[in-house]
Amino acid sequence: MSDGPTKRRDLDRRLVKFSARAIRLGTSLPRGPVHDTLARQWVRAATSIGANHREASRASSRRHFITTMEIAQREADEALYWLDVLRESQVVDTAKTDDLRDEADQIVAMLTTSIVNAKKQPK
C-alpha cells in the first residue's frame, strides 16, 4: 500500500529516530506547569507519527492506508506546530533545533507524497 517495502522501512527507521530525538528534547525542557504541558504535547504528537505510519503499513485496505497516513501527516504537522511554539517562546534554542525542524518538514513532505500516490492508484 505504500511506495515499496524499502522506502517504508527507511521511513520507519527515520521516524523511530525522530521520536527518540523528540523524547530527548522533551525531557531536556525546564520543569514547570507550562513547560510540562508543552513537552507532553510535543512528544505526544512527534511519537504518534511513527505509530500511525507503522499502522498504515499493516492497513487492511487502500482506504485504511490513506486514512491512517493522513492521521500521521496531521500529527507531523502538529509536531511542527509545537516545535515552533517551543522555538518562538525561546524555551529551546532555535539554532540547536534547526535540524529537527528540517527533519519534521521532510517527514511531512514524505507522508504527503505517499498519500498523494496512494490516492492516484486505481481503486
Side-chain angles (χ1 to χ4, degrees), residues 71-120:
I71 294 168
Q73 179 191 43
R74 285 193 301 272
E75 292 293 335
D77 192 53
E78 183 180 341
L80 273 168
Y81 171 78
W82 289 115
L83 183 57
D84 287 345
V85 168
L86 290 168
R87 289 161 53 108
E88 186 66 29
S89 62
Q90 299 177 349
V91 174
V92 297
D93 185 347
T94 301
K96 290 183 180 176
T97 56
D98 282 344
D99 60 329
L100 192 58
R101 176 84 172 62
D102 183 56
E103 180 69 0
D105 278 332
Q106 289 180 39
I107 288 168
V108 170
M110 288 183 280
L111 294 171
T112 301
T113 298
S114 291
I115 293 164
V116 168
N117 289 341
K119 286 181 175 179
K120 287 180 183 176

Side-chain angles (χ1 to χ4, degrees), residues 1-51:
M1 295 276 167
S2 74
D3 293 327
T6 302
K7 285 184 181 181
R8 184 173 46 242
R9 281 191 303 274
D10 290 345
L11 184 53
D12 274 340
R13 280 190 283 273
R14 282 180 78 169
L15 292 172
V16 167
K17 288 180 181 181
F18 182 78
S19 292
R21 292 177 67 195
I23 291 166
R24 285 193 299 274
L25 176 61
T27 58
S28 75
L29 296 180
R31 302 299 308 192
V34 172
H35 293 122
D36 291 350
T37 299
L38 292 171
R40 214 173 10 263
Q41 292 286 82
W42 154 248
V43 171
R44 188 207 50 78
T47 58
S48 180
I49 304 163

